[in-house]
């Protein structure tokens, strides 16, 4: 009976809870929510939680611009919860948005993605935050499995599928066979670390202080993993560290690439470690099928080609790298009965 009402109300929800972006998929509707994982709020007196001012795009726009007493934060770091209260508010906002068209308010079933290499404490924190946000049931699924489903890989077959997922907080590579993760390797080094590297480079070379939002814009506009033809430039504005006055300078794609080079090297090494651990028969399948690259950083110029050269195996960027995990969660929701083996469940 529950399943009948759940289908009518469209309240089975899949959430890709990322360090940079949160994407929600509602069964029979598709992706209905995609916003930055940012929350702005003010602490209530005597430690009674937060008064939330803005979530998502509005909170990101406040980053670095808030007055005293207001915090604009990214409550997830390295793919896991760093601020429990703010994460719960982010999930409440997400569930409220996806249920706004429903005639009746109803606690939904939620499937939420988590990195493969998390501790039990980190896993439980995600479940508790999801239930606290209003879910009646919370299922967690490892991100590599969901990403592989989202790009259409046959994860239930006795053959190897390899996925590299580079998001805002984590870089993760996994080999999947027979519905489970056989080999995985991860780094808490990804898109946000690239932003920090750009901030440090601009500070050192130009004595110019820029914020995270500006650094992300530089990364997305002129960032690359391989030399460009021609190279690009971008005007960057910030605060002069010598006198504190506003200042602008021109930054080149060469400088940005050099700043991110150690991170690219770390990701290459991570993939090589996973390949070295892989059973030979699965390695053959991966070479034949290629490696799928997904996550927000997958859109960076030259990254798939660079990784392909580093591991001597085809690396193919997903068609919708930002939404791969959410699309995979949608497939799990559509086949919840047969997909339960890849889920861990907790109810109220």
């Amino acid at each position: 009976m529950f399943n009948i009402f759940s289908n009518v109300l469209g309240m089975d929800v899949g959430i890709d809870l990322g360090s940079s972006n949160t994407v929600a998929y509602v069964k029979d509707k598709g992706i209905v929510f995609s916003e930055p994982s940012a929350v702005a709020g003010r602490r209530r007196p005597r430690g009674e939680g937060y008064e939330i001012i803005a979530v998502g795009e509005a909170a990101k726009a406040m980053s670095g611009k808030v007055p005293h007493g207001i915090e604009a934060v990214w409550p997830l770091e390295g793919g896991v919860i760093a601020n429990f209260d703010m994460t719960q508010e982010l999930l409440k906002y997400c569930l409220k948005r996806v249920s706004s068209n429903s005639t009746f308010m109803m606690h939904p079933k939620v499937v939420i993605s988590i990195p493969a290499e998390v501790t039990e404490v980190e896993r439980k924190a995600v479940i508790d935050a999801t239930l606290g946000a209003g879910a009646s049931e919370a299922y967690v699924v490892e991100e590599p499995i969901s990403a592989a489903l989202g790009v259409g890989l046959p994860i239930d077959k006795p053959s190897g599928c390899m996925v590299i997922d580079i998001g805002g907080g984590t870089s993760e590579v996994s080999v999947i066979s027979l519905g489970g993760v056989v080999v995985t390797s991860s780094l808490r080094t990804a898109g946000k670390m690239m932003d920090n590297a750009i901030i440090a480079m601009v500070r050192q070379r130009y004595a110019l202080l820029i914020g995270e939002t500006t650094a992300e814009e530089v990364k997305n506009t002129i960032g690359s993993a391989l030399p460009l033809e021609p190279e690009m430039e971008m005007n960057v504005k910030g605060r002069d560290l010598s006198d504190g006055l506003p200042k602008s300078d021109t930054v080149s794609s060469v400088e940005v690439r050099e700043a991110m080079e150690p991170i690219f090297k770390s990701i290459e090494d991570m993939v090589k470690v996973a390949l070295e651990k892989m059973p030979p028969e699965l390695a053959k399948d991966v070479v034949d099928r290629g490696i799928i690259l997904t996550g927000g950083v997958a859109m960076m110029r030259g990254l798939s080609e660079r990784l392909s050269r580093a591991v001597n195996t085809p690396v193919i960027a997903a068609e919708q790298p930002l939404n791969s995990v959410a699309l995979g969660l949608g497939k799990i929701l559509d086949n919840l009965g047969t997909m339960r083996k890849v889920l861990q469940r907790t109810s109220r």
Side-chain angles (χ1 to χ4, degrees):
M1 179 66 71
F2 179 85
N3 286 336
I4 293 174
F5 284 110
S6 179
N7 289 336
V8 169
L9 294 173
M11 288 302 294
D12 289 358
V13 182
I15 300 177
D16 173 15
L17 186 64
S19 300
S20 293
N21 292 284
T22 296
V23 184
Y25 185 108
V26 173
K27 184 176 180 181
D28 299 326
K29 294 182 180 178
I31 293 174
V32 297
F33 179 91
S34 180
E35 291 202 28
S37 302
V39 183
R42 181 188 292 110
R43 284 189 181 275
R44 291 194 175 97
R46 298 181 294 278
E48 298 174 356
Y50 290 87
E51 175 191 350
I52 300 304
I53 297 170
V55 182
E57 290 285 0
K60 181 181 179 180
M62 295 179 181
S63 182
K65 305 174 184 177
V66 295
H68 178 71
I70 296 177
E71 300 175 52
V73 302
W74 301 82
L76 293 109
E77 295 178 5
V80 297
I81 293 175
N83 185 318
F84 183 87
D85 291 337
M86 289 292 208
T87 301
Q88 189 164 281
E89 292 297 336
L90 173 63
L91 287 167
K92 283 181 182 178
Y93 175 79
C94 176
L95 291 178
K96 182 179 179 181
R97 284 281 303 274
V98 302
S99 64
S100 61
N101 294 327
S102 296
T103 305
F104 305 99
M105 284 301 295
M106 181 176 180
H107 294 297
K109 290 186 291 185
V110 177
V111 179
I112 193 161
S113 62
I114 57 173
E117 293 189 331
V118 296
T119 66
E120 286 303 315
V121 172
E122 292 166 341
R123 186 187 304 266
K124 186 176 185 301
V126 172
I127 291 171
D128 290 346
T130 307
L131 293 174
S136 62
E137 298 179 41
Y139 302 81
V140 293
V141 59
E142 294 169 324
E143 282 180 9
I145 290 178
S146 186
L149 284 168
V151 298
L153 294 177
I155 68 166
D156 57 336
K157 306 296 183 184
S159 60
C161 305
M162 193 169 192
V163 177
I164 304 171
D165 186 356
I166 309 175
T170 57
S171 299
E172 196 164 29
V173 57
S174 299
V175 180
I176 302 164
S177 179
L178 292 171
V181 176
V182 179
V183 175
T184 189
S185 182
S186 67
L187 296 170
R188 295 195 175 177
T189 300
K192 286 188 176 293
M193 191 67 75
M194 293 177 182
D195 298 340
N196 292 336
I198 293 169
I199 292 171
M201 180 273 293
V202 173
R203 182 184 186 121
Q204 182 178 6
R205 293 197 180 187
Y206 298 99
L208 179 65
L209 184 62
I210 62 173
E212 293 180 359
T213 302
T214 301
E216 183 184 20
E217 184 181 356
V218 171
K219 177 187 69 182
N220 293 339
T221 304
I222 64 174
S224 68
L226 290 174
L228 300 175
E229 186 59 47
E231 297 289 353
M232 304 169 68
E233 292 184 340
M234 180 176 174
N235 188 254
V236 177
K237 300 179 179 68
R239 176 161 57 85
D240 192 330
L241 290 171
S242 62
D243 58 18
L245 297 177
K247 175 185 174 183
S248 65
D249 267 303
T250 300
V251 177
S252 74
S253 56
V254 175
E255 293 170 315
V256 172
R257 187 166 56 251
E258 288 175 354
M260 297 188 294
E261 179 64 22
I263 299 169
F264 293 140
K265 286 286 189 184
S266 297
I267 293 171
E268 288 176 2
D269 291 341
M270 174 193 72
V271 178
K272 289 176 182 177
V273 167
L275 288 168
E276 289 168 1
K277 292 179 180 178
M278 193 167 33
E281 291 301 321
L282 292 181
K284 175 183 177 297
D285 295 334
V286 168
V287 171
D288 291 342
R289 181 177 283 121
I291 302 170
I292 301 299
L293 177 63
T294 188
V297 181
M299 296 183 290
M300 180 168 291
R301 299 174 185 86
L303 183 56
S304 59
E305 184 181 349
R306 174 170 179 153
L307 291 174
S308 181
R309 292 179 187 178
V311 300
N312 197 31
T313 304
V315 176
I316 305 147
E319 290 185 9
Q320 299 184 61
L322 275 173
N323 296 332
S324 296
V325 172
L327 293 172
L329 292 172
K331 291 184 178 180
I332 291 172
L333 292 174
D334 290 339
N335 303 279
L336 202 52
T338 59
M339 295 299 296
R340 287 182 187 274
K341 63 182 180 181
V342 304
L343 303 174
Q344 294 186 27
R345 172 187 174 183
T346 303
S347 302
R348 283 179 172 275

